[in-house]
Amino acid sequence: MNVNQHTPMASPYGQPQPGYGQPNYAPLDGGYPASYAPYNGPASAYQPGVPPQGKTLLPDQLLGPPTSAPPPVSAPQQYNQYSHSPADMQNGPPPMTQAPPRPAGSQPYGLGGGQPSYPQHYAPPPTMQQVTNQMGGMQLTSGPPTPAGLGYAPPHSSQPPISTSYQSAPQPSFTQAPPPASSAPTQPPPPNAPAASQQYYRGPPPPPHSIPPPSCAPAPPVSQSQQPFSTPQPHFSSAPPPVSQPGFPSGPPPPAQGSFPPQPTPSSSQPGSVPPPGPPPTSVTSGQYPTPIQHQQQPPDSQPSPYHSGPPPPRFQMPPTVNHLPPGPQSPPGPQGPLQQPPSPQTGYPPQQNGAFGQTRSPQAGYPGPYPVQPNYGAPAPAPAPAAPAQKRLDPDAIPSPQAPDMPAVQKSRHRIDPDAIPSPIQVIEDDKAKTNEPFVTGVRGQAPPLVTTSFHVRDQGNASPRFVRCTAYNMPCTADMAKQSQVPLAAVIKPLATLPPDENPPYMVDHGEGGPIRCNRCKAYMCPYMQFIEGGRRFQCSFCNCVTDVPPHYFQHLDHTGKRVDCYDRPELSLGSYEFLATVDYCKNNKLPQPPAFIFLIDVSYNAVKSGMVSIVCHELKSLLDHLPRENPEVDSVVRVGFVTYNKVLHFYNVKASLAQPQMLVVSDVSDMFVPLLDGFLVNVNESRQVIESLLDQIPEMFADTRETETVFGPVIQAGLEALKAADCAGKLFVFHTSLPIAEAPGKLKNREDKKLIGTDKEKSLFQPQVGFYNNLAKECVAQGCCVDLFLFPNQYVDVATLGVVPVSTGGSVYKYTYFQAQTDQERFLNDLRRDLQKHVGFDAVMRVRTSTGIRATDFFGSFYMSNTTDVELAGLDCDKAITVEFKHDDKLSEETGALMQCAVLYTSCSGQRRLRIHNMAVNCCSQLADLYRNCETDTIINYFSKYAFRGVLSNPTKAVRDTLVNQCAQILACYRKNCASPSSAGQLILPECMKLLPVYLNCVLKSDVLLPGADVSLDDRAYLKQLISCMDVADTHVFFYPRLLPVMKLESGSLPVAVRNSEERLSKGGVYLMETGLHLFLWVGASVQQELLLNLFGTPSFSQIDSSMINLPVLDNPFSQRLREIIDSFRAQRSRYMKLVVVKQEDRTELIFRHFLVEDKSASGGASYVDFLCHMHKEIRQLLS
Amino acid sequence: MATFSEYIAQNEERDGVRFSWNVWPSSRLEATRMVVPVASLLTPLKERTDLPPIQYEPVLCSRATCRAVLNPLCQVDYRAKLWACNFCYQRNQFPPSYAGISEVNQPAELLPHFSTIEYVVQRGPQMPLVFLYLVDTCMEDEDLQALKESLQMSLSLLPPTALVGLITFGRMVQVHELGCEGISKSYVFRGTKDLNAKQLQEMLGLTKSSGAQGRGPQTPQQPLSNRFLQPVQKIDMNLTDLLSELQRDPWPVTQGKRPLRSLGVAMSIAVGLLECTFSNTGARIMTFIGGPATQGPGMVVGDELKTPIRSWHDIEKDNAKFMKKATKHFEALANRASTNGHIIDIYACALDQTGLLEMKCCPNYTGGYMVMADSFNTSLFKQTFQRVFTKDVQGSFKMAFAATLEVKTSREIKVCGAIGPCVSLSTKGPCVSENEIGTGGTCQWKICGLDPSTTLALYFEVVNQHNAPIPQGGRGAIQFVTQYQHSSGQRRIRVTTTARNWADAQTQIQTIAASFDQEAAAILMARLAVYRAETEEGPDVLRWLDRQLIRLFMFHLRRSPFLQVFNNSPDESSYYRHHFNRQDLTQALIMIQPVLYAYSFNGPPEPVLLDSSSILPDRILLMDTFFQIVIYHGETVAQWRKAGYQDMPEYENFKHLLQAPVDDAQELLHTRFPMPRYIDTEHGGSQARFLLSKVNPSQTHNNMYAWGQESGAPILTDDVSLQVFMDHLKKLAVSSAA
């Protein structure tokens, strides 16, 4: 059991990372350890070790500490250490020193009820340092109280013993330092071990077994724990083993699970039984991993490490390695060190459990993170710094200055939980990165992909790439009851037309001839790898609905001895997860092949638009931009036709037919009943009409240069575009450049309704609802015609984005907003957005349908689209940046054997006018054990779902209710884990599932977002804008949006990015320069005491005061530093679908307020809780649910 | 007789007036018994090359209800510098400028031969002429091309200061802004939605200028142009380019459909545009259409080709579902246009009907032209259109704008109404009869468009009671005052004062009878009949006419397209009636009873009876029906021609014979407006029907054997011949007398 749990934990981390795999397991174990953790806690020394892994550990730490957190200080550290070490050392050592220390630590934390228990465990607070370490850990745990604590706290708590453990400890826990230790000694494995573990994760096949051995090696002895591991490993190879197991027919899995459970119990209960770790429970992970043998071995090792004593040597090494993250992997092999290291290097490990927590600060440093994690357990983790030298090392990287101060602070009072002790996103991210060094192969069912923050290569072997589909859970609960109990949302984020990196093949095109794609007769699912061919290939059975369908003669192919079609690998639809069908005329509107789409530019030429320079910028840019209309074959001219309209109170259409000597302007003043005044010559081919178009674009700014017209219309503008497309009988996209609230007399006229007094009241929701129903109807018409609307807003005041955005949002379009647009400063951003928007890959007139295997059903959809029934997602336009979140609900039982299948089919018209079907297939595992569910989730995706769910909820509920709902659901998820998956522990422990240890921090970010908790300076428009923006974001976008990336850029190396730091002011050094990206903004924060040289390199000025904070781009300076930084900035911009304007923020400057808004771990000006506070709150909620 | 006909001719020559009776019965009772009312045909702008315009303003009677113009019939006291109004007997002082007046120094208006005189009003600004082209773009490319060329040509004929505007329409209506550099602009309106002037003004952005315009054109607005109407000299090139870029309406027309043509809205916009910019200034809306309005207000037929446009049959069956609405729409427009003094011309060129029936009121009320042809690419249209811009010797257009006609009468006689291209101004006055004939109830009419041949029929009533005899030698006088805008932009007033003797019908019946002007009376009665035909049920009118009767003439009138709708489309009927109602007497006579000339080797060309017996094999016939000119080669002649005799030198005389009617026809073609359809046919030719349908069917398939095979060509018709008609008429006359 423990193992399993851990695994889950691990899996998150580990899964992706093969090597880690084992470690993962370990972590997994840790997961179980969760239970352990608790145990550990209680178990005194032992416990420490165990628990760690399972739960992110926060658990323990979280305990009471939340509030008191800080106090633990010294103790905590120790804990952490212990925890780790404990894991490693498990029983032996932990008990010894650890026990004492922890108690201290825990106590200090004063975690709520939990503390007490801690104290006990920790009680024997080790030395001051230890204590502090522990404290850290404690705090973490306490703060976060989350039971799951996942890797973090729990283990630590138990681990605490080993202060050193931190670095090492964590490792142990994960990889189970122990194993290494043991293995190291015994087997060369040490190194291997880590490797092995990694392999597990990644390459299930060999590693599993082998891996198990390594780590398991010891395991064998520990039949229980190990077995589980081994089994699981095979599967995914990754942490999820359990999951995989189920999948695998092989006995192991089952046994594994089975065994696990038992094991856990035993282990947990019996320190001895389980790997000795049992005791180490806390560190469990490690402990578990170690399995008996390990334990034994580890114990020694770990112990030593914890103790610092004997083991130290090895550990020391370890730690160092750990610190170096990278080395981690390698080092892991080494002695114990390896174990710990693995985590760090591999990231996988450390991250898994402690990662987040322990590392706290050190981890923050980035790499260290992982290690620290363990420390985290100790809660005192933060303190950890002191704990282990290693930690310190870690710390250095990231947040030197802040930490220092913190440290003392932490020590000083318990009230505070050391931020370093709570799960660190950075740590998790880095761990995942480290763990991912092989291509992600999609062939295995239910395998969680690497995090969105990790760059990896995908090999499509039957399931859609995570770039297309990401799920919240890769182990779906078999029954609705389980799903309901866990409250984990079952959702997939689908980005059907996602852009793939150049080294991955775009989906192949399949043509099934005149008959169209081959489909199941009953459910109409498209031919896919899941279809079973039977009767010698003459028929196939649909795996979605089990209906048997004849294979058409032209598609017949013989089967080989395994029952596969002989041509299986020649046909994308039989071997790949994503591919495209060429649609036949049956799939077209009115049974007519579609016309190539058209782009229509509708430009506001009212006074404001002209004055701000927007009109001339757009016109000027369009001249060159029109050469870059989307096309499929770069050799050929785009077939997309273009048309132009300008408007203020009336509309001006332009006839730019090639045969004309000069453009013709057709004014339509009858806006009450819009129509298109011309047909021929409105939509033209750019190349044919180039001269006329250029002449037109030259003249537009001149013609309206002296305009006095300030009123605008909006509804008729879209109607005009729509009518034009109707008249041309094609789909297309409207680019509307608009400036002001449409108050002119016309359909869709609006009035200013911005009323700040309503904010916070029950009527607030009305502000998010469209002001008039007109636009809803219009949107419906647009969708029917395949008319997608992209809206570029240039407001100087309230424009009612909530209403104006209705049509873009319903048609799959985008809204861009440039408030107080000034040509000089905003031009670049606008133009880049425009270029990108214009050129991006886009499909028109699309219909998306998600089919699922029997047992689940897609019930809810979030995104930019329109639905006229409950199953078909209609998208007038679908571009490569738009994601749709789909929620699934059970309508029957799922079977572990068949898993759950989903097929997303998008029928669309390509930019060349070809009708196509893009198919994405996804298979996930099903589980009957909650633990398996928790082991194989993806927090980023869950957050994506939550945010969309919540932002939609704002329309119909008071925002406060929405926030509460979110918190509740989250608490239930975590409480369910704590109740059903974590080993028993003191109520004061916050135990988080490994995969969800970041859930609280991310959720807090969602809760604090401007939409749900607006500051005084956030306009209604901004909120509506963000709301619609989020609704179509994919996981990577929501991730960086809610948890911005903050990079220290004092030292830059080519080829790699510096490790990010956590979003908290205390991570910023006065002498540092930091780059922050949120997906929408890009800040360069410059500390007040930055070295002159740096300033010179960066800005070309030696003085802080001479930095021009209004610059929008860094000066181009010829030095490596400047070049590299600009490179980085460019690469960031390239990654996002919207151009981010660079804002230089000088410390203490006014603009810093804005910047601080994005330091999401801190308290926000609008009243949002800090991470620590929120974690405590969460813990409280969970405890309430549990009690 | 001779004297009377000379008298009539002289009066017509001088005043452009012909009365049905040139001696008037002196009492109401007697007048009523005369059946044909006292009435006149007035050609207000009859060309008078010998009439120099007078550069001062007319002297008016000071009585507010009279305001008659000083004329030769007034008694003048040269010493007292007084004159007595001959209508109300008011004595008036001459204005100071007449101080030098004496028997030998008389102003022109007192000279007897200046019974018609023309004054030039010096006050007020000179208004530019406004020409607004309203062009249909739903037509074949060749047609459109021809039309574009005609329009471009017309620009060169306009005075440089004239304002021009362009509105095109198809499915949409485009009002083109003129004089734009680099880009051509137009305002587009949906063809299905009617707009009132105010909406239009706002949508065209003319609101600001409207304030100034509101005070009327009297206030000298410097640039009386706006973006849509600009002086030719300024935008000549621009407009030429614009016209040459005119595209055929680009909206797709699927098979089995008519193009959507928003004529109703287009015309409404044209009227609205002028209404809010140049009200009460002479302006022409020249509408060129290639087919019927098929959508929006004013539509006369749907766009489904399978449903044909309404025929007389449909109308009688009350099966023309669009007709009433469309007619109402165009009537409203016609009224608006006429109120503002604007002319609506319609040039309809299509093989099928175009809805002239519904639109007829537009030209009819405003004095506009109605031209019907098969294609814009025919000389019929091209030359007709060119002839619109004919200039007189002074270089002014032969057209006048925004005219008002006022009639003043002696006490014994009152005016009942007018029939012609005019609308009532609803001015009550002492000379207005309660008895309405035609457009009545007023003594003032608006004639938005006038040309030298425009002729109105005015009907009068003798109101003198039988017991209040008029003194012997008394004369009844009628004064016609026509104020109009000359094409030079000047405002002019033409005054015609006529007088006729009274006679007691009981004692002087012979005199009265002798003064009867048969031709004028025929036309006057025909107009009345047509007017009734337009407003009443067809058969009733014929019956009424039969009761009135005028021998032979009526025979043809009964068969003419003005009353008979058989074989004519509603559009054709409307077209013929339109012209009948505005042409002068001579032309009107031709319309009713076509002229037939025979050319043969037997002698010089001679007029022959319009009878089937005139159709002989060795003759060439030339028939002029006003609308058509038909050259018909008899059977033998046709054979000769086919044999090519005319090309042989020894048969040069035959060549001359063939050429003679052609030359004569050309002469007619060149002088007539609208240009007639020229038809060259021969015996047995399909086009011979034009001739055969006009001649008196004295020989038909029914009686040809009875008459022997002597000569002539039998007409295959069931119509009665003149002989039968006359026989029947005689019978009636006798029986009714009895």
Side-chain angles (χ1 to χ4, degrees), chain A residues 41 59-72 79 102-123 135 138-139 141-143 145 379 414-417 986-990 1176 1179 1183:
Chain A
D60 309 302
Q61 309 146 357
L62 302 180
L63 306 187
T67 47
S68 62
Y79 288 121
R102 289 187 179 176
S106 62
Q107 292 178 350
Y109 293 76
L111 307 181
Q115 294 181 349
S117 67
Y118 289 67
Q120 294 178 350
H121 303 301
Y122 307 91
M135 293 290 289
M138 296 297 289
Q139 295 177 346
T141 54
S142 64
R414 294 184 171 184
H415 340 313
R416 245 196 98 174
I417 296 178
S986 110
Q989 279 188 308
L990 172 58
C1176 293
H1179 186 43
R1183 280 169 54 199

Side-chain angles (χ1 to χ4, degrees), chain A residues 207-425:
Chain A
H209 301 295
S210 64
I211 299 176
S215 57
C216 298
V222 185
S223 62
Q224 301 173 342
S225 61
Q226 291 181 345
Q227 291 178 350
F229 292 109
S230 64
T231 53
Q233 296 172 350
H235 293 308
F236 52 38
S237 48
S238 60
V243 180
S244 61
Q245 293 176 353
F248 298 86
S250 65
Q257 297 178 343
S259 65
F260 293 106
Q263 292 178 354
T265 49
S267 65
S268 62
S269 63
Q270 307 170 350
S273 74
V274 179
T282 44
S283 56
V284 180
T285 43
S286 60
Q288 294 175 349
Y289 297 97
T291 61
I293 300 179
Q294 293 179 348
H295 295 303
Q296 296 176 349
Q297 295 176 345
Q298 293 179 346
D301 297 340
S302 64
Q303 293 178 349
S305 62
Y307 297 106
H308 303 301
S309 62
R315 290 192 174 178
F316 277 100
Q317 297 175 348
M318 299 295 286
T321 55
V322 175
N323 298 334
H324 303 298
L325 295 188
Q330 298 176 345
S331 59
Q336 301 171 344
L339 297 178
Q340 298 177 342
Q341 295 173 346
S344 62
Q346 300 174 347
T347 51
Y349 304 118
Q352 297 172 348
Q353 307 171 343
N354 321 323
F357 311 85
Q359 298 179 348
T360 49
R361 297 182 177 177
S362 50
Q364 296 170 348
Y367 318 86
Y371 305 95
V373 173
Q374 296 175 350
N376 293 333
Y377 299 73
Q391 294 178 347
K392 288 184 178 177
R393 295 176 183 175
L394 300 174
D395 296 343
D397 328 356
I399 318 131
S401 62
Q403 293 182 348
D406 289 352
M407 296 299 291
V410 176
Q411 293 177 350
K412 288 175 189 171
S413 66
R414 294 184 171 184
H415 340 313
R416 245 196 98 174
I417 296 178
D418 182 343
D420 285 344
I422 54 182
S424 155

Side-chain angles (χ1 to χ4, degrees), chain A residues 445-460:
Chain A
R445 192 172 79 191
Q447 182 178 234
L451 297 182
V452 286
T453 43
T454 303
S455 69
F456 56 98
H457 183 76
V458 178
R459 211 174 286 154
D460 186 345

Side-chain angles (χ1 to χ4, degrees), chain B residues 549 551 722-738:
Chain B
L549 105 141
R551 291 206 329 147
L722 175 62
Q723 190 60 43
V724 179
F725 178 74
M726 286 304 293
D727 291 347
H728 186 66
L729 206 57
K730 283 175 190 162
K731 229 179 277 173
L732 274 180
V734 173
S735 65
S736 70

